[in-house]
Amino acid sequence: MQQVRVRFAPSPTGPLHIGGVRTALYNYLFAKKNKGTFILRIEDTDQGRFVEGAEEYIMESLKWCGIVVDEGITEGGKYGPYRQSDRKEIYRQYADILVEKGDAYISFDTPEQLAKLRSDSEKEGDTFIYNAAARVRLKNSLSLPEAEWKNLLATGCPYVIRYKMPVNEDIHFDDIIRGHIVVNTNTLDDKVLFKSDGMPTYHLANIVDDHLMEISHVIRGEEWLPSLPLHFLLYRSFGWNAPLFAHLPLLLKPDGKGKLSKRDGDKMGFPVFPLFWPYGETAKGYREEGYYPEAFVNMLALLGWNPGTENEIFSLAELIDVFSIEKVHKSGSRFDPEKAKWFNHHYLQCRTNNQLALEFRDFLRAKGYHHDIVNLEKLVGIIKERVNFVKDIWKETDFFFRGPDNYDVEVIKKRWQSETPVQLLELKAVLENIDDFSPAITESVVKEWVESKGYNTGAVMNAFRLVIVGASRGPHIFDIISWIGKKETLNRIERGVSVIGKQ
Ligand code: GLU
């Protein structure tokens, strides 16, 4: 195989959707698997759609995922510049080559004329297509005498350059994922290659750059499949070898109905962007929601590909090892927000208690709680299995840090008996006599006491939990009291008895 060079070529028109990150990831995995080069090229020829901050967002997203760019705007490389607006001077000569060859032509129609043609066709129930039949009726370098169109050019009349689509020709080409495809040129239109603002369109710039940057494989989203016949024809017109193509399946909404769109995240309550996007409409990001990048990348890799085994857990290095572009699926992949959480749960369990405690300590500091790391290690060890995210640890453990402000009324109704206050005060006295508050010790002493008194264990324990936690939730009660300590335990019993007694 020739030297593998692939590119991720996003347009900086807003935050990068997770579908875009998946495209970058598959390009990266393919490049690294084949000891090739991964290039980041910014395609910003559509100046009208340029969004401030999007370029930085793309770079930061890739970095967060651990996708390392070999050649790009900040990395450099001998095929640069890597931003199309910085390559502006390159494209015109290629458009001219096609005009000279007769494969493209200069077209003088104004946007108003085109709008009128479209609306006239619509009135007749037709769709206007700029094709061989239309071009002969319109103002261009094919329909006008040479002197006339050259004069229009000389007098500064605005124009675009269009590709002259061949008539009734079957174009054959191959896609690594979709196999052999045949398209008849009569279904295609004369696409604009060069615009009146002096910029190339996506089609021209993309082909010229892929050629000049010696791209070996184009791996991109399925939405670009309809452009593939034109791209093949452009390679043919230039007399260049085309790269190999692989069009990735769509990412579908969780119910499988339609493409996962940028708006779905906010509507359905899960992120569709890797990072928080602070401009314009606010949009949640996986990073800020508390996902680990390795969980995000693992989840994304399996949306549209799998190695054909039962294994679902892969580090980035393992993905590079097992990835194969031929195994990418043809049909769309349904995005499953629950599965995304499942992956995070998995990677959270793989963290050591020390790592998790450090992460949770930052979270606590922001809330004004300061605890030493050894205590926090114990706490995360108790709770880890129940949580998907570090922020969940707080939801599960808030009562470790502060005694209850109020007590669950339903639990009081069900569990608070006339004898409860006396029993709890007895329990308090029993606990007062224990010096070693480790869970095994307190548990055995308390159980012995309950039995010796002939009390109902369940009733005592439920009331005990109520005064300590304020509700019926939480891990093993003896783990809780061991962590909060003797003094705090006794205070909470006393406070609970006096407050609930008055309710
Ligand atoms: N600029 C295009 C995009 O935004 C690139 C498509 C391609 O990879 O050819 O997705």
Side-chain angles (χ1 to χ4, degrees):
M1 185 154 60
Q2 78 180 105
Q3 170 66 19
V4 166
R5 290 179 54 82
V6 295
R7 80 316 188 260
F8 176 50
S11 299
T13 54
L16 192 59
H17 177 266
I18 53 172
V21 186
R22 188 195 57 176
T23 301
L25 177 64
Y26 284 9
N27 271 286
Y28 173 76
L29 296 177
F30 182 76
K32 296 301 121 184
K33 166 102 194 187
N34 294 292
K35 314 261 171 296
T37 306
F38 173 70
I39 297 152
L40 174 63
R41 183 173 75 220
I42 298 292
E43 299 206 327
D44 60 346
T45 54
D46 192 347
Q47 300 276 288
R49 295 183 62 217
F50 177 80
V51 172
E52 200 61 48
E55 199 176 286
E56 293 72 20
Y57 181 96
I58 291 165
M59 297 197 267
E60 205 184 326
S61 300
L62 298 187
K63 214 182 197 172
W64 182 65
C65 293
I67 298 176
V68 180
V69 175
D70 298 315
E71 291 175 24
I73 297 168
T74 42
E75 297 71 15
K78 63 177 174 133
Y79 296 82
Y82 292 92
R83 185 190 287 115
Q84 286 186 329
S85 57
D86 295 336
R87 303 170 63 81
K88 202 172 153 192
E89 310 314 322
I90 296 177
Y91 306 111
R92 178 62 208 236
Q93 53 187 298
Y94 289 98
D96 288 341
I97 291 175
L98 295 184
V99 174
E100 260 155 49
K101 280 193 72 185
D103 282 356
Y105 61 96
I106 296 167
S107 155
F108 298 95
D109 334 287
T110 62
E112 295 74 29
Q113 283 165 335
L114 290 175
K116 181 157 180 350
L117 287 167
R118 281 192 201 102
S119 77
D120 288 350
S121 296
E122 238 168 65
K123 274 180 213 145
E124 282 165 33
D126 258 354
T127 313
F128 172 72
I129 302 175
Y130 207 119
N131 57 12
R135 78 173 82 106
V136 289
R137 300 188 268 122
L138 297 166
K139 249 169 88 182
N140 54 53
S141 60
L142 299 176
S143 62
L144 300 173
E146 189 170 335
E148 201 175 318
W149 67 260
K150 287 212 160 144
N151 184 45
L152 284 175
L153 276 188
T155 54
C157 180
Y159 65 92
V160 298
I161 299 176
R162 283 182 185 271
Y163 189 69
K164 187 178 162 204
M165 191 52 72
V167 178
N168 195 22
E169 187 187 330
D170 282 338
I171 312 288
H172 292 256
F173 46 87
D174 293 293
D175 182 272
I176 297 172
I177 298 165
R178 277 138 223 285
H180 192 68
I181 302 171
V182 185
V183 174
N184 188 282
T185 52
N186 284 358
T187 62
L188 306 171
D189 60 346
D190 291 357
K191 281 270 183 297
V192 174
L193 300 178
F194 205 84
K195 297 177 286 181
S196 50
D197 63 1
M199 280 292 222
T201 57
Y202 154 72
H203 301 293
L204 181 68
N206 185 274
I207 265 52
V208 167
D209 285 348
D210 281 350
H211 173 70
L212 296 179
M213 294 183 180
E214 295 181 27
I215 298 302
S216 60
H217 297 74
V218 169
I219 303 170
R220 61 184 174 192
E222 182 181 295
E223 62 275 26
W224 300 104
L225 196 56
S227 300
L228 190 51
L230 170 66
H231 293 181
F232 254 85
L233 286 166
L234 284 170
Y235 281 104
R236 188 174 81 176
S237 292
F238 283 121
W240 298 335
N241 283 333
L244 298 177
F245 287 92
H247 286 83
L248 307 175
L250 291 178
L251 287 190
L252 306 176
K253 294 184 202 299
D255 63 5
K257 290 184 190 139
K259 188 177 154 182
L260 184 67
S261 85
K262 291 195 172 189
R263 260 151 276 112
D264 285 336
D266 284 336
K267 265 197 286 186
M268 299 186 189
F270 54 80
V272 288
F273 300 109
L275 316 178
F276 174 67
W277 173 254
Y279 312 102
E281 270 173 71
T282 11
K284 289 187 195 168
Y286 278 84
R287 184 177 63 183
E288 293 71 16
E289 288 300 294
Y291 282 85
Y292 292 123
E294 52 270 46
F296 176 68
V297 165
N298 194 157
M299 177 266 310
L300 213 52
L302 289 166
L303 282 176
W305 166 87
N306 71 60
T309 64
E310 292 291 298
N311 190 8
E312 294 189 288
I313 300 297
F314 297 98
S315 67
L316 193 56
E318 288 163 344
L319 284 170
I320 292 172
D321 209 37
V322 291
F323 185 74
S324 93
I325 195 80
E326 288 79 13
K327 286 213 173 101
V328 172
H329 311 152
K330 273 198 195 63
S331 53
S333 308
R334 211 158 49 81
F335 174 73
D336 179 354
E338 291 310 311
K339 191 74 193 214
K341 290 185 196 152
W342 180 86
F343 276 109
N344 214 63
H345 179 85
H346 171 83
Y347 283 95
L348 191 140
Q349 305 314 307
C350 299
R351 290 274 198 278
T352 62
N353 289 353
N354 179 262
Q355 277 172 319
L356 265 185
L358 288 170
E359 291 168 28
F360 186 48
R361 186 171 66 175
D362 291 340
F363 186 95
L364 283 177
R365 277 185 181 156
K367 288 200 166 297
Y369 294 103
H370 300 274
H371 278 265
D372 75 74
I373 208 72
V374 179
N375 271 340
L376 293 179
E377 274 178 32
K378 272 195 221 142
L379 180 66
V380 298
I382 298 170
I383 217 74
K384 195 167 164 179
E385 226 177 276
R386 299 173 177 226
V387 300
N388 294 329
F389 303 99
V390 169
K391 65 181 176 193
D392 291 351
I393 300 178
W394 171 254
K395 283 187 221 145
E396 295 284 340
T397 62
D398 55 337
F399 50 84
F400 279 86
F401 302 94
R402 50 176 192 209
D405 289 332
N406 43 50
Y407 302 87
D408 189 323
V409 231
E410 287 306 310
V411 183
I412 298 176
K413 242 197 261 166
K414 255 196 355 227
R415 311 281 187 201
W416 201 263
Q417 320 286 341
S418 54
E419 64 276 18
T420 305
V422 174
Q423 289 178 344
L424 286 179
L425 291 176
E426 271 179 41
L427 170 62
K428 185 178 162 232
V430 169
L431 291 170
E432 218 154 7
N433 282 328
I434 307 177
D435 290 327
D436 179 356
F437 242 54
S438 54
I441 305 280
T442 49
E443 180 167 9
S444 79
V445 174
V446 169
K447 289 218 159 128
E448 222 171 88
W449 161 73
V450 173
E451 272 164 36
S452 71
K453 290 286 188 167
Y455 294 155
N456 176 327
T457 313
V460 175
M461 287 302 131
N462 286 324
F464 186 24
R465 182 177 292 277
L466 180 65
V467 292
I468 298 295
V469 173
S472 59
R473 67 196 170 103
H476 195 49
I477 188 69
F478 296 100
D479 282 336
I480 304 177
I481 61 162
S482 167
W483 199 87
I484 63 176
K486 184 164 162 178
K487 195 164 157 248
E488 176 70 9
T489 304
L490 303 182
N491 283 346
R492 289 194 195 183
I493 298 178
E494 199 173 301
R495 185 168 178 272
V497 169
S498 76
V499 173
I500 301 172
K502 285 191 200 105
Q503 278 180 358

